[in-house]
Amino acid sequence: MRALPARRLASTALCALLLAGITGPAAVAADSAHERTHAMSQAPVPGADALLAQVKSLGNLGAVLKPVTDLLNTVLAADNGQLTPDQATQLGDAVKAAIAQVTAAAPAPAPTVPTTPALPSAPALPSVPALPSAVPSTPAVPAAFPVPAAAQAKGLGGAPAAKDLAGDALTALQTAVDNLLKAATSGDVSQVLPAATAVVTGLVNLLAAILLGGGLPAPNLPGLPSLPSLPAAPSLPASPPLPVPTT
């Protein structure tokens, strides 16, 4: 009768060993899989830097869009389009803070190409000895073809200087918002609608600047007309050939 408990103890110990042999490797494998999953979750998507920049530009648009549309909705729904000084200050400060935040986060524009320096005049050819009257005299060599002033203002080879379209659109939008706040506190309802229209136009200009100048992918919605491209810089005319003197 005393052998039975010892047999049970041995059986229990054997079961424990079997369970340890089964669950031990499984637990280690589960931990390794969890570590691999965690490591993979920390790895960035290859080649996503350019797309992240595009997403950021769209996020900047959303950051400005909300406070500006809040201002427009409040003004257009107000009695005669007029706001109290406190309302105007609160709404105007929200727009100003959003524009300042986007402007501070925007990358600096690319440096402009230096203007083309004026080309020196070609040296004059040495004088030719007197020839018979039938032979024409040697013509003077013309000066090098000058670069037009307009082309010099645009940069080397007539290429337009780098332009911060989004920055210009934000500046114009801030001016339009300031004008709308003045109209909404002036007591003159006739000034409200033109000022509000200018703000809407400023938002459209900002959207166009981001779409055309922010490197975003072209829209591909069926039936959507293509967006106009930015105008190309005019090319300089070719320099006239130098005349060859006759002997």
Side-chain angles (χ1 to χ4, degrees), residues 196-232:
T197 302
V199 173
V200 174
T201 303
L203 282 177
V204 174
N205 288 338
L206 177 60
L207 176 61
I210 291 177
L211 289 179
L212 295 177
L216 294 173
N220 60 359
L221 182 66
L224 187 68
S226 59
L227 292 175
S229 58
L230 294 177

Side-chain angles (χ1 to χ4, degrees), residues 51-195:
L51 188 59
L52 282 174
Q54 296 173 6
V55 172
K56 185 177 180 180
S57 66
L58 291 175
N60 290 340
L61 175 62
V64 175
L65 188 64
K66 181 64 168 61
V68 174
T69 53
D70 286 345
L71 170 63
L72 288 168
N73 288 329
T74 304
V75 171
L76 295 176
D79 185 20
N80 288 327
Q82 298 301 299
L83 303 177
T84 65
D86 290 341
Q87 285 179 310
T89 300
Q90 182 179 0
L91 293 170
D93 287 347
V95 174
K96 187 178 298 183
I99 292 178
Q101 179 181 0
V102 171
T103 303
T112 58
V113 179
T115 58
T116 305
L119 297 177
S121 301
L125 294 177
S127 59
V128 180
L131 296 175
S133 58
V135 179
S137 60
T138 303
V141 178
F145 186 77
V147 179
Q152 292 187 14
K154 290 183 178 180
L156 183 61
K163 192 172 182 64
D164 183 11
L165 294 178
D168 292 346
L170 286 171
T171 301
L173 178 61
Q174 181 64 69
T175 302
V177 167
D178 293 341
N179 292 335
L180 176 59
L181 291 173
K182 291 179 183 178
T185 54
S186 66
D188 186 359
V189 66
S190 64
Q191 298 180 16
V192 174
L193 189 59

